[in-house]
Each structure stands twice: as structure tokens, then as C-alpha cells.
Amino acid sequence: MQLTPRIYHSIIRPKWMTNLYIHNHVKQHFDFSGKNVLDFGAGTGANCTLCSPEHYLGIDPDSHRIDFAKRMYNDYRFMAFTGNELPVRDNSFDFILVVAVLHHIHPEMIPCYIKEFKRILKPQGKIVVIEPCYFERSPISNWFMKHNDKGDYIQNEEDYLHYFTNQDFQYNVIKKYKKCFLYNELYFSAFL
């Protein structure tokens, strides 16, 4: 069952949890001040507050979540999109933020989006990724995620990184951590 945007935002992305497991990690390593940021898979907009409104664009294929984000964060820009091509100009973003999105995308489609990331990143731009991830020595968490996460395509570290290296990106694994005791999270950046 798909949660409504309001319930999702309240239960899955409450402000305290988003700050603890996403924003605090991102702020330790990246400064978005004055930088153009694309929030790929923005959903209900919970990550927009990492950026200033004039430098942020959140996109998502779920128009209901985008409508909710527009109401919640009316100073920020959000846009629904369809298809494989991202509705933005070449070389227009300093950062692309990808938080808990790739594990919802069929593995055959991910390379199309990585190519688009390459097209829209400015020179020296970076992709910041945080994804649920199967860890080799974490069978209980792996089992829990497999049976409780709505994403059908949680992968291991090597598989996530392989999508980027196949498109000539380099990467830096910043951290591997637990979220709420039962979720393994992989946090990395990719750059050309």
C-alpha cells in the first residue's frame, strides 16, 4: 500500500529523523551555499531545507508528492517529470542530491539517469548519494530491509558504485552507517 504524501512525510520523513540521518551527514561534508542543487527524487521535499530556495530544484515522477512539497515548502521550486530525460539544461547544477531513490528504480533504468546526471552537472559538480544497502556482515538488517522497504531494488555497495563507474565517474565512499538500528545506509559522492 502506498502511503499518502502527508502520512509519508510525517512517518517516514519527520524532521528530527531527516536531520539525524540525512541532513547532519550531508552538512558535515558538503556546503550547498550559493550552489545550484537538483534534488532527484525529491518526494515530499524534506531535503529542500539543505539549500536556499533560489538555488534548489526538486524533481520527482510522483505528482502527488510534488504537489504536497509545493504546499509545504512554497518558497522552493518543485517539478514533476516523466520519462528518462531530466527537464533541466546541460551543465546547470553544482550538486545532485539522491537520497533513498535508486533502490526504487529498476536496475535497467538507472544507467539512463546516470547519463542524465553527467549531462546536467557543471564541471567539478558532485552527486551526493545516500541509499539503503545490503552489507555483507549484516544479515538481520538485510533481511529486515528486504521484507519491509517499499523499494524493490536495494543493492549492495559494489552494484551501486558500478552504475557510476560505468559512466566514468569516480566515487568517494564517505560513510556506512545504521539508521534506526535496522537499516544499512551507504553514503557516497560521485564526480567526474
Side-chain angles (χ1 to χ4, degrees):
M1 178 181 87
Q2 175 106 0
L3 299 176
T4 67
R6 180 169 300 286
I7 292 172
Y8 175 87
H9 194 73
S10 299
I11 294 173
I12 306 299
R13 290 279 181 249
K15 191 172 187 173
W16 70 269
M17 190 183 298
T18 299
N19 283 334
L20 180 64
Y21 292 113
I22 299 168
H23 294 188
N24 291 346
H25 291 294
V26 172
K27 288 177 186 177
Q28 283 179 345
H29 298 96
F30 300 99
D31 181 7
F32 293 161
S33 301
K35 303 293 185 184
N36 291 332
V37 178
L38 176 73
D39 188 356
F40 176 75
T44 58
N47 295 318
C48 70
T49 57
L50 283 166
C51 315
S52 60
E54 63 271 14
H55 294 287
Y56 173 89
L57 174 61
I59 63 172
D60 197 286
D62 187 329
S63 61
H64 297 296
R65 290 187 183 203
I66 288 296
D67 290 343
F68 178 85
K70 287 177 179 178
R71 289 191 305 274
M72 284 292 295
Y73 306 101
N74 58 11
D75 290 342
Y76 290 85
R77 291 181 303 140
F78 295 96
M79 178 189 313
F81 78 100
T82 58
N84 301 339
E85 295 180 14
L86 302 182
V88 296
R89 294 186 322 269
D90 295 358
N91 304 312
S92 53
F93 288 93
D94 300 289
F95 289 97
I96 299 172
L97 190 58
V98 182
V99 177
V101 177
L102 298 179
H103 74 290
H104 291 284
I105 300 172
H106 192 283
E108 291 178 6
M109 297 302 300
I110 292 175
C112 298
Y113 291 119
I114 304 295
K115 285 180 187 174
E116 282 292 279
F117 295 165
K118 194 173 185 178
R119 177 184 68 79
I120 67 174
L121 269 179
K122 291 181 179 179
Q124 312 304 314
K126 291 187 178 176
I127 304 168
V128 178
V129 181
I130 300 176
E131 282 291 326
C133 185
Y134 294 136
F135 290 166
E136 191 173 305
R137 295 187 177 133
S138 191
I140 294 170
S141 292
N142 292 347
W143 178 89
F144 181 84
M145 292 187 305
K146 182 176 183 173
H147 290 89
N148 292 287
D149 194 280
K150 297 297 180 203
D152 292 330
Y153 310 107
I154 298 174
Q155 299 182 43
N156 64 38
E157 178 179 347
E158 295 78 26
D159 290 337
Y160 283 125
L161 299 174
H162 189 69
Y163 291 118
F164 292 88
T165 58
N166 271 354
Q167 294 295 324
D168 301 320
F169 281 93
Q170 297 177 49
Y171 64 85
N172 176 30
V173 174
I174 299 167
K175 191 173 189 177
K176 300 174 198 176
Y177 62 95
K178 291 274 190 202
K179 180 174 87 174
C180 298
F181 305 108
L182 291 170
Y183 264 78
N184 303 319
E185 295 287 324
L186 176 65
Y187 172 30
F188 69 95
S189 66
F191 47 91
L192 292 169

